[in-house]
Amino acid sequence: MTPERKRLSREESRQQTRHRLLAAAAELFTERGVNGTSVEQIAERAGYTRGAFYGNFEDKNALVAELLHDRTRRELEEVRSLTEGAASGADALDKLRAWNRDRAQHLPQWLALRMELVLYALRNDALRPLLAERELLARDAHATGLEQAFTSRGVASPADPAFLALIVHALEDGLLIQRLLAPDGIQDDVVVDAFGLLLRSWTALAQQAPAGEGDGQAPPSQR
């Protein structure tokens, strides 16, 4: 006799429905784009009716907003858990390298979805501020990591950590696009290699700076 399946509470059932709708939307956005996907298609892929969609989301914009938030939060939590449990800076880079190699296994889908969400938000006045907020969360996480790295190396940041984080964050997107276009010539962990090189260069720059000049400012256009 099979064990009786636990009955979900009303809230658990609602959360399960939202999760399935978000997962279905992510798949369809990757395959067809956000504009090429209808509410009906999302509901059908998730195994629900159109009414179930509108019982959880006001419209497709609301779902995109939730997907942006969910992806950013989940990835930040994954990276934070890796680096917080690292025994040293080198160990943290090794863990990040392994995480990037795992991500490379589904990079086409991951990057296609990211680009679709970014483009959709850029074209939508209501969603653009939300996209900016989520990107700032990612940059803040980079800035915190950089400050911790500089502190562990006994140097002050050679420039505003927020500016350095902007460089790292923008470089990651560009490198991943190049990795996808030329997989045979670019390693899966290219992002970590680039970050390590920047960190060594910035550390050397900070070590060479006269006392009191290690905390440089960002260029005027970045202030």
Side-chain angles (χ1 to χ4, degrees):
M1 180 181 297
T2 59
E4 184 177 353
R5 180 177 298 177
K6 179 183 176 181
R7 191 168 188 175
L8 297 178
S9 68
R10 185 173 182 178
E11 178 59 22
E12 288 172 334
S13 178
R14 189 182 77 86
Q15 289 299 326
Q16 183 181 80
T17 300
R18 289 178 70 87
H19 175 75
R20 289 180 177 175
L21 287 167
L22 287 166
E27 291 178 1
L28 288 165
F29 292 166
T30 301
E31 296 169 7
R32 308 176 184 181
V34 180
N35 286 324
T37 300
S38 68
V39 166
E40 290 77 13
Q41 289 169 336
I42 294 171
E44 182 180 359
R45 175 71 65 93
Y48 297 112
T49 63
R50 189 171 183 268
F53 180 95
Y54 285 110
N56 284 273
F57 299 101
E58 181 179 353
D59 52 24
K60 191 164 67 172
N61 279 359
L63 182 144
V64 170
E66 176 111 358
L67 200 54
L68 278 168
H69 173 78
D70 183 63
R71 280 171 57 86
T72 304
R73 176 190 55 78
R74 185 173 64 251
E75 289 169 13
L76 289 179
E77 287 178 354
E78 288 178 3
V79 172
R80 188 178 294 116
S81 67
L82 290 175
T83 54
E84 286 180 349
S88 64
D91 184 38
L93 286 178
D94 286 342
K95 290 179 181 295
L96 288 172
R97 194 179 300 282
W99 185 81
N100 274 269
R101 286 173 177 167
D102 287 341
R103 181 173 62 176
Q105 303 306 310
H106 50 88
L107 182 60
Q109 297 81 11
W110 183 91
L111 191 58
L113 180 57
R114 171 165 169 72
M115 294 295 102
E116 278 294 330
L117 293 175
V118 167
L119 288 172
Y120 186 77
L122 286 175
R123 294 166 178 153
N124 188 301
D125 291 340
L127 286 176
R128 193 179 303 144
L130 177 62
L131 173 63
E133 178 185 339
R134 298 309 159 200
E135 292 296 288
L136 180 59
L137 282 176
R139 299 203 309 271
D140 284 346
H142 283 310
T144 298
L146 284 165
E147 288 182 286
Q148 292 172 345
F150 291 135
T151 298
S152 70
R153 287 161 172 77
V155 299
S157 178
D160 181 358
F163 176 56
L164 300 183
L166 176 64
I167 294 172
V168 171
H169 189 52
L171 184 63
E172 179 179 10
D173 277 346
L175 288 173
L176 290 177
I177 290 173
Q178 296 304 314
R179 166 67 181 83
L180 188 57
L181 294 175
D184 294 333
I186 300 176
Q187 299 297 318
D188 291 342
D189 48 9
V190 61
V191 171
V192 182
D193 287 341
F195 176 74
L197 178 60
L198 285 175
L199 187 56
R200 292 193 299 274
S201 300
W202 288 335
T203 299
L205 181 62
Q207 290 170 337
Q208 295 170 7
E213 294 185 11
D215 189 18
Q217 297 295 314
S221 61
Q222 300 298 329
R223 293 178 189 169

